[in-house]
Amino acid sequence: MQKEIEIALAPEFIYDTEYLLNVGSKQLKLDKNRIKGHHIRKRSIDARGRQVLYRLRVVFFIDEPYTPEIFSTTIKKVDNAPIVIIIGAGPAGLFAAYRCLERGLKPIVIERGKAVQERRRDLARINRDGVVNPESNYCFGEGGAGTYSDGKLYTRSNKRGDVQKVLQIFVQHGATDDILVDARPHIGTNKLPHIIEDMRNCILSHGGEIRFDTRVDDILESFGQARGVRTSNGETIHADHVIVATGHSARDMFALFRRKGWLVEAKAFALGVRIEHPQTVIDQAQYHCSTRHENLPAAYYSLVEQVQDRGVFSFCMCPGGIIAPCATAADEIVVNGWSPSKRNNPHANSGTVIQINLEDVPASASDPFALLDFQQKIEQQAFRLGGGQLVAPAQRMVDFVERRVSSSLPENSYKPGTRSVDLNEVLPDFVHQALRGALPLFGKKMKGYYSNEAILVGVESRTSSPVRIPRDKDNLQHPHVKGIYPCGEGAGYAGGIVSAAIDGINCVDAIRL
Ligand code: FAD
């Protein structure tokens, strides 16, 4: 017999199995010796009351042994199978390739950036010298934007597909099985590259191909049917199925669609700043304590406010994290955040953004690139105001709200450096006003949040794509060209690692031979 119950544990008991069995047998009103095994199905932290608790859903095996469920997929050798070209080795592209192996199709993945280890050197140069390699950076390279990220693996919607399957595949390739259980699973920047490498080796050993340092410069088409791609090496690869999973920063891919006369559309996206606090401030506010218990992770927050009909919300929060320079061109500033698996850095950061709608940029009514141009101009202005070498414009929080240039900036995690400016010179007025309205309100929700110890770093501009590549909702192909599958975040069908991975799987499932 199996029984699933909820158990609440104080942090000091979270790793104490005997204690868990005692509590379990008491709640189930049975002799502890009858429990032959147990399995934690879900684990979350409940910080609503004064006493912070772990809440577990636990399955107890009573008078019967515990038999763990084993996840398995059948992947095939695909050396001589029909080819599917996948442009981009981000989560969407990699999971599409993996799904090809399951379906008996041969993926040829073409990635403009480098393999994870070599890519690391370019990231070091970005942080140390403020120099961006436009082909190898935080957005471009093996694993895409997801590799050197926080690796948060939750998604707001489970409707898109099988989230658990994506998590299981990560576990098969080296992630800890905690991610199957935690309410807010994350992997961390130190572990993600090994997992991505392992997935690559699996794809290669089954007959798939991956070309790094190779950009797709053209998609071949005749009579409304995709025929293959031409790469930056001058090579032509033929196939009738081309998955375009190039991410939201591949502006040249959007430009290619425009040149070809294939439909693309302007799409709402989010814009704002990264906000960083000392992690202790967040811990104290969320856990109601002066010092966090050693069994509790660095605390997390999620904030949202409505200011003059505009939603202002925190996004991609990285406890114990680092603000990352994520531009893909030499003359732009784009920030985002990452954290290691232990989330043990002294600062907490999150994107704090508002949605930019099509009506905010009237030119988008006739120009599908108007929002992209708007985004790029703001990134370039941020670069200019920072003064070069990826130094980012920044302001203390209260100074920002009270419209004062900060006389000094707090110590922060953004490695290329920050420069004190009036962020109103970077952000459009309506964004500036909405943020100024929201921050004191966030402070009312979270003690210590609204403070001059916090820094705002500009600009958080690539949380989502400002362009959509449309596709038919049934066959997931572009309305003008059969065999082109716009996929993942760049095409406008995902927002985050898991949803991009699911979209990659869905695109392969849409292929009919
Ligand atoms: P991408 O990951 O953008 O991959 C696209 C790939 O295509 C890139 O590798 C690029 O080099 C390649 N490419 C582009 N053009 C071409 C071309 N012409 N030819 C060949 N290759 C090309 N999401 C989360 O869910 N959790 C997080 O914790 C998280 N943290 C993040 C932290 C950072 C620093 C960043 C930058 C992003 C973070 N994200 C996070 C967002 C997440 O990484 C993206 O949503 C996700 O990677 C999108 O996947 P994708 O496959 O659609 O596109």
Side-chain angles (χ1 to χ4, degrees):
M1 178 177 45
Q2 297 174 21
K3 286 230 162 148
E4 184 172 322
I5 56 172
E6 190 179 301
I7 289 185
L9 292 181
E12 51 269 42
F13 297 116
I14 189 67
Y15 298 120
D16 187 339
T17 306
E18 276 311 301
Y19 187 83
L20 177 70
L21 292 178
N22 285 336
V23 176
S25 60
K26 224 179 245 166
Q27 272 183 230
L28 290 165
K29 297 194 176 61
L30 49 82
D31 183 346
K32 187 174 147 195
N33 292 324
R34 290 183 60 198
I35 299 180
K36 304 297 178 201
H38 73 281
H39 165 64
I40 298 173
R41 219 186 259 294
K42 271 277 155 241
R43 180 169 49 219
S44 58
I45 293 173
D46 183 353
R48 286 170 298 180
R50 295 301 317 163
Q51 163 76 63
V52 180
L53 293 171
Y54 274 97
R55 290 200 183 276
L56 312 181
R57 287 211 68 82
V58 189
V59 184
F60 287 99
F61 291 73
I62 301 154
D63 304 327
E64 69 170 77
Y66 167 47
T67 39
E69 286 167 29
I70 294 177
F71 170 79
S72 72
T73 51
T74 315
I75 46 178
K76 304 176 182 133
K77 279 282 201 187
V78 294
D79 301 69
N80 300 312
I83 291 173
V84 176
I85 293 174
I86 298 168
I87 316 177
L94 281 179
F95 276 80
Y98 199 88
R99 183 67 184 145
C100 283
L101 303 184
E102 291 179 324
R103 279 203 59 195
L105 301 167
K106 179 185 174 85
I108 299 185
V109 183
I110 303 170
E111 169 54 55
R112 71 196 299 162
K114 300 179 185 173
V116 278
Q117 289 308 334
E118 293 160 59
R119 188 178 169 193
R120 211 183 269 277
R121 274 178 233 132
D122 293 310
L123 302 190
R125 277 193 74 205
I126 289 175
N127 282 300
R128 194 186 54 230
D129 308 330
V131 176
V132 178
N133 176 344
E135 302 298 327
S136 173
N137 45 58
Y138 276 92
C139 293
F140 293 165
E142 187 178 19
T147 308
Y148 294 96
S149 78
D150 195 38
K152 284 178 284 296
L153 297 178
Y154 34 94
T155 167
R156 271 172 278 182
S157 166
N158 286 351
K159 288 189 200 132
R160 288 177 168 139
D162 192 345
V163 173
Q164 206 60 17
K165 175 174 175 158
V166 170
L167 300 181
Q168 292 277 14
I169 292 173
F170 276 128
V171 170
Q172 267 189 343
H173 293 282
T176 67
D177 52 13
D178 287 339
I179 65 169
L180 304 174
V181 171
D182 283 330
R184 295 190 172 280
H186 88 110
I187 296 183
T189 306
N190 48 327
K191 296 195 171 163
L192 279 157
H194 304 293
I195 294 167
I196 301 294
E197 252 178 338
D198 204 69
M199 284 187 75
R200 177 223 302 164
N201 291 336
C202 172
I203 292 163
L204 294 178
S205 64
H206 285 80
E209 292 180 21
I210 305 184
R211 321 256 168 103
F212 294 116
D213 292 307
T214 308
R215 195 182 54 240
V216 167
D217 286 339
D218 197 6
I219 301 177
L220 310 177
E221 169 254 1
S222 68
F223 301 106
Q225 167 65 52
R227 296 291 177 206
V229 298
R230 188 162 302 127
T231 73
S232 49
N233 303 338
E235 191 187 0
T236 300
I237 307 171
H238 293 284
D240 288 350
H241 303 283
V242 179
I243 294 179
V244 181
T246 45
H248 57 29
S249 293
R251 290 171 172 159
D252 43 8
M253 186 51 70
F254 299 133
L256 173 66
F257 272 69
R258 171 152 66 178
R259 267 201 319 280
K260 295 275 190 182
W262 300 337
L263 193 63
V264 290
E265 296 163 351
K267 178 182 146 299
F269 74 108
L271 175 76
V273 292
R274 262 271 140 189
I275 296 189
E276 185 171 85
H277 290 83
Q279 181 64 48
T280 46
V281 170
I282 309 300
D283 289 344
Q284 284 163 4
Q286 300 298 74
Y287 293 150
H288 337 288
C289 61
S290 53
T291 315
R292 178 177 92 226
H293 189 280
E294 58 180 351
N295 289 351
L296 284 173
Y300 169 91
Y301 64 81
S302 166
L303 293 164
V304 57
E305 270 299 339
Q306 201 70 17
V307 181
Q308 294 157 1
D309 291 338
R310 294 226 176 236
V312 181
F313 55 97
S314 65
F315 182 88
C316 185
M317 201 258 151
C318 300
I322 302 282
I323 302 180
C326 295
T328 46
D331 61 346
E332 299 161 351
I333 296 271
V334 178
V335 290
N336 206 306
W338 63 265
S339 69
S341 55
K342 289 193 173 142
R343 287 182 160 164
N344 53 359
N345 286 294
H347 293 99
N349 69 67
S350 76
T352 305
V353 293
I354 71 162
Q355 180 153 311
I356 309 295
N357 297 314
L358 270 57
E359 310 81 69
D360 293 321
V361 182
S364 63
S366 56
D367 177 3
F369 285 74
L371 282 171
L372 191 150
D373 294 342
F374 171 85
Q375 175 199 46
Q376 188 169 23
K377 280 195 183 111
I378 291 167
E379 294 168 356
Q380 290 171 341
Q381 170 67 353
F383 181 87
R384 272 191 296 275
L385 265 187
Q389 288 180 305
L390 300 183
V391 173
Q395 203 164 359
R396 288 182 187 262
M397 186 181 280
V398 179
D399 292 343
F400 172 81
V401 172
E402 294 179 0
R403 304 211 56 174
R404 258 191 320 263
V405 173
S406 304
S407 55
S408 67
L409 291 174
E411 201 182 301
N412 62 77
S413 69
Y414 181 77
K415 298 251 164 50
T418 43
R419 181 175 182 202
S420 175
V421 302
D422 176 359
L423 280 173
N424 198 20
E425 290 183 45
V426 185
L427 299 168
D429 271 345
F430 65 94
V431 177
H432 191 252
Q433 271 175 33
L435 283 172
R436 283 178 56 222
L439 298 178
L441 299 177
F442 287 168
K444 289 198 174 132
K445 289 183 170 167
M446 218 175 108
K447 202 171 157 209
Y449 177 93
Y450 183 60
S451 144
N452 241 359
E453 270 190 276
I455 185 171
L456 278 61
V457 182
V459 283
E460 177 93 16
S461 53
R462 305 249 184 116
T463 56
S464 47
S465 181
V467 173
R468 180 189 306 283
I469 307 182
R471 69 186 187 193
D472 183 283
K473 77 176 176 7
D474 295 321
N475 62 31
L476 307 191
Q477 294 171 54
H478 190 275
H480 289 166
V481 193
K482 286 207 185 66
I484 289 185
Y485 301 80
C487 178
E489 190 167 57
Y493 302 99
I497 295 169
V498 172
S499 59
I502 286 174
D503 202 53
I505 293 171
N506 290 345
C507 283
V508 174
D509 284 344
I511 292 175
R512 299 280 167 268
L513 293 175

